[in-house]
mmCIF file of all heavy atoms in Angstrom:
data_model
loop_
_atom_site.group_PDB
_atom_site.id
_atom_site.type_symbol
_atom_site.label_atom_id
_atom_site.label_comp_id
_atom_site.label_asym_id
_atom_site.label_seq_id
_atom_site.Cartn_x
_atom_site.Cartn_y
_atom_site.Cartn_z
ATOM 1 N N PHE A 947 215.791 69.959 -160.599
ATOM 2 C CA PHE A 947 214.556 70.492 -160.016
ATOM 3 C C PHE A 947 213.376 69.558 -160.296
ATOM 4 O O PHE A 947 212.514 69.362 -159.437
ATOM 5 C CB PHE A 947 214.249 71.900 -160.549
ATOM 6 C CG PHE A 947 214.929 73.010 -159.797
ATOM 7 C CD1 PHE A 947 215.962 73.739 -160.374
ATOM 8 C CD2 PHE A 947 214.549 73.323 -158.506
ATOM 9 C CE1 PHE A 947 216.601 74.763 -159.673
ATOM 10 C CE2 PHE A 947 215.174 74.348 -157.794
ATOM 11 C CZ PHE A 947 216.211 75.068 -158.383
ATOM 12 N N GLY A 948 213.333 68.979 -161.493
ATOM 13 C CA GLY A 948 212.268 68.029 -161.827
ATOM 14 C C GLY A 948 212.297 66.803 -160.922
ATOM 15 O O GLY A 948 211.255 66.350 -160.426
ATOM 16 N N ALA A 949 213.502 66.280 -160.676
ATOM 17 C CA ALA A 949 213.653 65.113 -159.789
ATOM 18 C C ALA A 949 213.238 65.463 -158.365
ATOM 19 O O ALA A 949 212.546 64.690 -157.689
ATOM 20 C CB ALA A 949 215.102 64.626 -159.825
ATOM 21 N N ALA A 950 213.673 66.647 -157.904
ATOM 22 C CA ALA A 950 213.347 67.062 -156.536
ATOM 23 C C ALA A 950 211.847 67.311 -156.373
ATOM 24 O O ALA A 950 211.247 66.947 -155.354
ATOM 25 C CB ALA A 950 214.133 68.323 -156.181
ATOM 26 N N PHE A 951 211.221 67.925 -157.389
ATOM 27 C CA PHE A 951 209.777 68.182 -157.354
ATOM 28 C C PHE A 951 209.010 66.860 -157.255
ATOM 29 O O PHE A 951 208.060 66.733 -156.479
ATOM 30 C CB PHE A 951 209.375 68.955 -158.613
ATOM 31 C CG PHE A 951 207.919 69.361 -158.667
ATOM 32 C CD1 PHE A 951 207.406 70.290 -157.780
ATOM 33 C CD2 PHE A 951 207.069 68.836 -159.642
ATOM 34 C CE1 PHE A 951 206.078 70.690 -157.832
ATOM 35 C CE2 PHE A 951 205.739 69.225 -159.713
ATOM 36 C CZ PHE A 951 205.240 70.149 -158.802
ATOM 37 N N ALA A 952 209.460 65.875 -158.027
ATOM 38 C CA ALA A 952 208.829 64.555 -157.990
ATOM 39 C C ALA A 952 208.921 63.956 -156.586
ATOM 40 O O ALA A 952 207.949 63.400 -156.064
ATOM 41 C CB ALA A 952 209.490 63.632 -159.008
ATOM 42 N N GLN A 953 210.103 64.095 -155.971
ATOM 43 C CA GLN A 953 210.312 63.497 -154.645
ATOM 44 C C GLN A 953 209.498 64.218 -153.568
ATOM 45 O O GLN A 953 208.863 63.576 -152.730
ATOM 46 C CB GLN A 953 211.807 63.542 -154.284
ATOM 47 C CG GLN A 953 212.131 62.840 -152.969
ATOM 48 C CD GLN A 953 213.616 62.550 -152.831
ATOM 49 O OE1 GLN A 953 214.285 62.187 -153.800
ATOM 50 N NE2 GLN A 953 214.137 62.702 -151.632
ATOM 51 N N VAL A 954 209.512 65.541 -153.590
ATOM 52 C CA VAL A 954 208.839 66.306 -152.530
ATOM 53 C C VAL A 954 207.320 66.179 -152.627
ATOM 54 O O VAL A 954 206.629 66.089 -151.608
ATOM 55 C CB VAL A 954 209.288 67.784 -152.563
ATOM 56 C CG1 VAL A 954 208.415 68.660 -151.665
ATOM 57 C CG2 VAL A 954 210.755 67.890 -152.136
ATOM 58 N N THR A 955 206.771 66.166 -153.835
ATOM 59 C CA THR A 955 205.309 66.040 -153.973
ATOM 60 C C THR A 955 204.848 64.591 -153.837
ATOM 61 O O THR A 955 203.671 64.344 -153.600
ATOM 62 C CB THR A 955 204.821 66.575 -155.338
ATOM 63 O OG1 THR A 955 205.481 65.852 -156.387
ATOM 64 C CG2 THR A 955 205.098 68.062 -155.485
ATOM 65 N N ALA A 956 205.786 63.645 -153.991
ATOM 66 C CA ALA A 956 205.461 62.204 -153.925
ATOM 67 C C ALA A 956 204.317 61.849 -154.878
ATOM 68 O O ALA A 956 203.497 60.977 -154.597
ATOM 69 C CB ALA A 956 205.110 61.798 -152.483
ATOM 70 N N ALA A 957 204.283 62.542 -156.017
ATOM 71 C CA ALA A 957 203.198 62.335 -156.977
ATOM 72 C C ALA A 957 203.542 61.200 -157.941
ATOM 73 O O ALA A 957 204.716 60.952 -158.234
ATOM 74 C CB ALA A 957 202.960 63.624 -157.763
ATOM 75 N N SER A 958 202.521 60.540 -158.467
ATOM 76 C CA SER A 958 202.762 59.525 -159.496
ATOM 77 C C SER A 958 202.721 60.158 -160.890
ATOM 78 O O SER A 958 203.181 59.567 -161.867
ATOM 79 C CB SER A 958 201.720 58.403 -159.401
ATOM 80 O OG SER A 958 200.421 58.952 -159.519
ATOM 81 N N ALA A 959 202.154 61.362 -160.958
ATOM 82 C CA ALA A 959 202.071 62.068 -162.244
ATOM 83 C C ALA A 959 202.063 63.568 -161.991
ATOM 84 O O ALA A 959 201.596 64.036 -160.942
ATOM 85 C CB ALA A 959 200.800 61.661 -162.993
ATOM 86 N N ILE A 960 202.609 64.359 -162.942
ATOM 87 C CA ILE A 960 202.620 65.825 -162.851
ATOM 88 C C ILE A 960 202.291 66.418 -164.221
ATOM 89 O O ILE A 960 202.292 65.701 -165.229
ATOM 90 C CB ILE A 960 203.986 66.377 -162.368
ATOM 91 C CG1 ILE A 960 205.106 66.056 -163.382
ATOM 92 C CG2 ILE A 960 204.339 65.848 -160.981
ATOM 93 C CD1 ILE A 960 206.432 66.773 -163.104
ATOM 94 N N VAL A 961 202.043 67.736 -164.236
ATOM 95 C CA VAL A 961 201.801 68.441 -165.494
ATOM 96 C C VAL A 961 202.791 69.599 -165.589
ATOM 97 O O VAL A 961 203.099 70.241 -164.590
ATOM 98 C CB VAL A 961 200.324 68.925 -165.590
ATOM 99 C CG1 VAL A 961 199.951 69.840 -164.435
ATOM 100 C CG2 VAL A 961 200.052 69.615 -166.922
ATOM 101 N N PHE A 977 213.200 69.448 -167.099
ATOM 102 C CA PHE A 977 212.467 69.223 -165.849
ATOM 103 C C PHE A 977 211.624 67.941 -165.964
ATOM 104 O O PHE A 977 211.600 67.106 -165.047
ATOM 105 C CB PHE A 977 211.580 70.441 -165.587
ATOM 106 C CG PHE A 977 210.828 70.432 -164.284
ATOM 107 C CD1 PHE A 977 211.331 71.091 -163.174
ATOM 108 C CD2 PHE A 977 209.580 69.816 -164.174
ATOM 109 C CE1 PHE A 977 210.625 71.126 -161.972
ATOM 110 C CE2 PHE A 977 208.869 69.841 -162.984
ATOM 111 C CZ PHE A 977 209.395 70.496 -161.877
ATOM 112 N N GLY A 980 213.781 64.916 -165.687
ATOM 113 C CA GLY A 980 214.191 64.674 -164.307
ATOM 114 C C GLY A 980 213.095 64.004 -163.495
ATOM 115 O O GLY A 980 213.360 63.096 -162.698
ATOM 116 N N ALA A 981 211.844 64.442 -163.705
ATOM 117 C CA ALA A 981 210.719 63.832 -162.984
ATOM 118 C C ALA A 981 210.451 62.414 -163.483
ATOM 119 O O ALA A 981 210.225 61.493 -162.692
ATOM 120 C CB ALA A 981 209.478 64.707 -163.142
ATOM 121 N N ALA A 982 210.503 62.233 -164.804
ATOM 122 C CA ALA A 982 210.237 60.904 -165.389
ATOM 123 C C ALA A 982 211.275 59.886 -164.937
ATOM 124 O O ALA A 982 210.958 58.705 -164.719
ATOM 125 C CB ALA A 982 210.197 61.001 -166.910
ATOM 126 N N ARG A 984 212.445 59.609 -162.148
ATOM 127 C CA ARG A 984 212.056 59.138 -160.808
ATOM 128 C C ARG A 984 210.773 58.318 -160.850
ATOM 129 O O ARG A 984 210.136 58.087 -159.823
ATOM 130 C CB ARG A 984 211.846 60.322 -159.854
ATOM 131 C CG ARG A 984 212.995 61.314 -159.765
ATOM 132 C CD ARG A 984 214.334 60.700 -159.392
ATOM 133 N NE ARG A 984 214.351 59.973 -158.142
ATOM 134 C CZ ARG A 984 214.557 60.498 -156.946
ATOM 135 N NH1 ARG A 984 214.757 61.785 -156.832
ATOM 136 N NH2 ARG A 984 214.568 59.747 -155.861
ATOM 137 N N GLY A 985 210.314 57.933 -162.058
ATOM 138 C CA GLY A 985 209.135 57.080 -162.173
ATOM 139 C C GLY A 985 207.819 57.826 -162.272
ATOM 140 O O GLY A 985 206.744 57.228 -162.180
ATOM 141 N N VAL A 986 207.895 59.159 -162.464
ATOM 142 C CA VAL A 986 206.678 59.975 -162.496
ATOM 143 C C VAL A 986 206.230 60.194 -163.941
ATOM 144 O O VAL A 986 207.036 60.562 -164.800
ATOM 145 C CB VAL A 986 206.946 61.342 -161.813
ATOM 146 C CG1 VAL A 986 205.759 62.283 -161.962
ATOM 147 C CG2 VAL A 986 207.284 61.137 -160.341
ATOM 148 N N ASP A 987 204.944 59.968 -164.221
ATOM 149 C CA ASP A 987 204.397 60.273 -165.547
ATOM 150 C C ASP A 987 204.247 61.787 -165.690
ATOM 151 O O ASP A 987 203.798 62.465 -164.760
ATOM 152 C CB ASP A 987 203.029 59.617 -165.741
ATOM 153 C CG ASP A 987 203.133 58.103 -165.874
ATOM 154 O OD1 ASP A 987 204.208 57.623 -166.286
ATOM 155 O OD2 ASP A 987 202.150 57.409 -165.548
ATOM 156 N N VAL A 988 204.614 62.314 -166.859
ATOM 157 C CA VAL A 988 204.572 63.762 -167.081
ATOM 158 C C VAL A 988 203.657 64.076 -168.264
ATOM 159 O O VAL A 988 203.835 63.534 -169.356
ATOM 160 C CB VAL A 988 205.980 64.328 -167.366
ATOM 161 C CG1 VAL A 988 205.912 65.844 -167.556
ATOM 162 C CG2 VAL A 988 206.959 63.969 -166.248
ATOM 163 N N GLY A 1007 193.950 67.310 -161.421
ATOM 164 C CA GLY A 1007 194.288 66.886 -160.065
ATOM 165 C C GLY A 1007 195.751 66.499 -159.914
ATOM 166 O O GLY A 1007 196.086 65.544 -159.207
ATOM 167 N N LEU A 1008 196.648 67.251 -160.581
ATOM 168 C CA LEU A 1008 198.084 66.921 -160.575
ATOM 169 C C LEU A 1008 198.915 68.111 -160.104
ATOM 170 O O LEU A 1008 198.586 69.260 -160.379
ATOM 171 C CB LEU A 1008 198.544 66.563 -161.993
ATOM 172 C CG LEU A 1008 197.881 65.364 -162.688
ATOM 173 C CD1 LEU A 1008 198.414 65.234 -164.116
ATOM 174 C CD2 LEU A 1008 198.135 64.086 -161.907
ATOM 175 N N PRO A 1009 200.048 67.841 -159.427
ATOM 176 C CA PRO A 1009 201.009 68.919 -159.198
ATOM 177 C C PRO A 1009 201.500 69.453 -160.543
ATOM 178 O O PRO A 1009 201.544 68.704 -161.529
ATOM 179 C CB PRO A 1009 202.149 68.239 -158.440
ATOM 180 C CG PRO A 1009 201.569 66.985 -157.881
ATOM 181 C CD PRO A 1009 200.516 66.550 -158.862
ATOM 182 N N GLY A 1010 201.887 70.746 -160.569
ATOM 183 C CA GLY A 1010 202.288 71.341 -161.849
ATOM 184 C C GLY A 1010 203.500 72.230 -161.728
ATOM 185 O O GLY A 1010 203.836 72.720 -160.644
ATOM 186 N N MET A 1027 205.762 76.591 -159.179
ATOM 187 C CA MET A 1027 205.327 75.215 -158.906
ATOM 188 C C MET A 1027 204.075 75.203 -158.041
ATOM 189 O O MET A 1027 203.855 76.104 -157.238
ATOM 190 C CB MET A 1027 206.453 74.442 -158.216
ATOM 191 C CG MET A 1027 207.620 74.157 -159.146
ATOM 192 S SD MET A 1027 209.055 73.438 -158.309
ATOM 193 C CE MET A 1027 210.044 74.902 -157.995
ATOM 194 N N CYS A 1028 203.258 74.184 -158.211
ATOM 195 C CA CYS A 1028 202.059 74.038 -157.376
ATOM 196 C C CYS A 1028 201.803 72.559 -157.123
ATOM 197 O O CYS A 1028 202.273 71.694 -157.860
ATOM 198 C CB CYS A 1028 200.839 74.680 -158.044
ATOM 199 S SG CYS A 1028 200.390 73.982 -159.650
ATOM 200 N N ARG A 1029 201.087 72.284 -156.055
ATOM 201 C CA ARG A 1029 200.635 70.924 -155.778
ATOM 202 C C ARG A 1029 199.325 70.682 -156.521
ATOM 203 O O ARG A 1029 198.806 71.587 -157.178
ATOM 204 C CB ARG A 1029 200.472 70.715 -154.267
ATOM 205 C CG ARG A 1029 201.819 70.779 -153.528
ATOM 206 C CD ARG A 1029 201.667 70.561 -152.045
ATOM 207 N NE ARG A 1029 202.952 70.742 -151.365
ATOM 208 C CZ ARG A 1029 203.813 69.765 -151.105
ATOM 209 N NH1 ARG A 1029 203.542 68.518 -151.480
ATOM 210 N NH2 ARG A 1029 204.952 70.004 -150.474
ATOM 211 N N ALA A 1030 198.784 69.482 -156.423
ATOM 212 C CA ALA A 1030 197.527 69.165 -157.102
ATOM 213 C C ALA A 1030 196.462 70.184 -156.703
ATOM 214 O O ALA A 1030 196.431 70.645 -155.562
ATOM 215 C CB ALA A 1030 197.081 67.754 -156.740
ATOM 216 N N VAL A 1035 203.239 76.204 -154.103
ATOM 217 C CA VAL A 1035 204.458 75.704 -153.470
ATOM 218 C C VAL A 1035 205.360 76.906 -153.220
ATOM 219 O O VAL A 1035 205.831 77.548 -154.158
ATOM 220 C CB VAL A 1035 205.175 74.677 -154.373
ATOM 221 C CG1 VAL A 1035 206.574 74.368 -153.837
ATOM 222 C CG2 VAL A 1035 204.365 73.385 -154.463
ATOM 223 N N THR A 1039 206.096 75.540 -148.015
ATOM 224 C CA THR A 1039 205.214 74.462 -148.497
ATOM 225 C C THR A 1039 205.911 73.574 -149.526
ATOM 226 O O THR A 1039 205.270 73.066 -150.441
ATOM 227 C CB THR A 1039 203.916 75.061 -149.099
ATOM 228 O OG1 THR A 1039 204.277 76.118 -150.015
ATOM 229 C CG2 THR A 1039 203.015 75.628 -148.030
ATOM 230 N N GLY A 1040 207.241 73.426 -149.392
ATOM 231 C CA GLY A 1040 207.953 72.485 -150.251
ATOM 232 C C GLY A 1040 209.146 73.039 -150.988
ATOM 233 O O GLY A 1040 210.051 72.294 -151.356
ATOM 234 N N LEU A 1041 209.170 74.368 -151.204
ATOM 235 C CA LEU A 1041 210.255 74.938 -152.013
ATOM 236 C C LEU A 1041 211.611 74.834 -151.306
ATOM 237 O O LEU A 1041 212.634 74.563 -151.943
ATOM 238 C CB LEU A 1041 209.935 76.395 -152.369
ATOM 239 C CG LEU A 1041 210.777 77.055 -153.468
ATOM 240 C CD1 LEU A 1041 210.823 76.216 -154.738
ATOM 241 C CD2 LEU A 1041 210.238 78.448 -153.789
ATOM 242 N N GLU A 1043 212.526 72.463 -149.242
ATOM 243 C CA GLU A 1043 212.964 71.056 -149.362
ATOM 244 C C GLU A 1043 213.505 70.766 -150.763
ATOM 245 O O GLU A 1043 214.506 70.065 -150.928
ATOM 246 C CB GLU A 1043 211.786 70.107 -149.097
ATOM 247 C CG GLU A 1043 211.232 70.145 -147.689
ATOM 248 C CD GLU A 1043 209.863 69.468 -147.646
ATOM 249 O OE1 GLU A 1043 209.805 68.233 -147.839
ATOM 250 O OE2 GLU A 1043 208.860 70.182 -147.455
ATOM 251 N N ILE A 1044 212.829 71.329 -151.776
ATOM 252 C CA ILE A 1044 213.281 71.140 -153.163
ATOM 253 C C ILE A 1044 214.686 71.720 -153.323
ATOM 254 O O ILE A 1044 215.578 71.076 -153.883
ATOM 255 C CB ILE A 1044 212.273 71.792 -154.146
ATOM 256 C CG1 ILE A 1044 210.975 70.970 -154.188
ATOM 257 C CG2 ILE A 1044 212.876 71.913 -155.556
ATOM 258 C CD1 ILE A 1044 209.821 71.650 -154.916
ATOM 259 N N LEU A 1047 217.385 69.474 -151.686
ATOM 260 C CA LEU A 1047 217.684 68.293 -152.512
ATOM 261 C C LEU A 1047 218.573 68.671 -153.693
ATOM 262 O O LEU A 1047 219.592 68.020 -153.965
ATOM 263 C CB LEU A 1047 216.393 67.658 -153.019
ATOM 264 C CG LEU A 1047 215.566 66.832 -152.019
ATOM 265 C CD1 LEU A 1047 214.218 66.478 -152.618
ATOM 266 C CD2 LEU A 1047 216.323 65.555 -151.622
ATOM 267 N N TRP A 1051 222.465 67.394 -154.587
ATOM 268 C CA TRP A 1051 222.814 66.681 -155.826
ATOM 269 C C TRP A 1051 223.825 67.462 -156.657
ATOM 270 O O TRP A 1051 224.739 66.893 -157.236
ATOM 271 C CB TRP A 1051 221.553 66.437 -156.660
ATOM 272 C CG TRP A 1051 220.589 65.464 -156.034
ATOM 273 C CD1 TRP A 1051 220.898 64.427 -155.198
ATOM 274 C CD2 TRP A 1051 219.172 65.452 -156.187
ATOM 275 N NE1 TRP A 1051 219.746 63.775 -154.810
ATOM 276 C CE2 TRP A 1051 218.656 64.380 -155.413
ATOM 277 C CE3 TRP A 1051 218.263 66.242 -156.898
ATOM 278 C CZ2 TRP A 1051 217.304 64.071 -155.339
ATOM 279 C CZ3 TRP A 1051 216.907 65.943 -156.820
ATOM 280 C CH2 TRP A 1051 216.428 64.865 -156.050
ATOM 281 N N VAL A 1061 214.855 55.178 -161.211
ATOM 282 C CA VAL A 1061 214.052 54.003 -160.846
ATOM 283 C C VAL A 1061 214.068 53.011 -161.997
ATOM 284 O O VAL A 1061 214.458 53.343 -163.124
ATOM 285 C CB VAL A 1061 212.597 54.413 -160.518
ATOM 286 C CG1 VAL A 1061 212.554 55.294 -159.281
ATOM 287 C CG2 VAL A 1061 211.942 55.136 -161.687
#
Side-chain angles (χ1 to χ4, degrees):
F947 274 110
F951 183 67
Q953 185 164 321
V954 169
T955 58
S958 57
I960 64 170
V961 58
F977 185 96
R984 307 304 303 274
V986 174
D987 289 335
V988 182
L1008 299 176
M1027 290 172 265
C1028 60
R1029 294 181 185 267
V1035 169
T1039 49
L1041 194 52
E1043 295 165 68
I1044 289 169
L1047 284 170
W1051 292 331
V1061 295

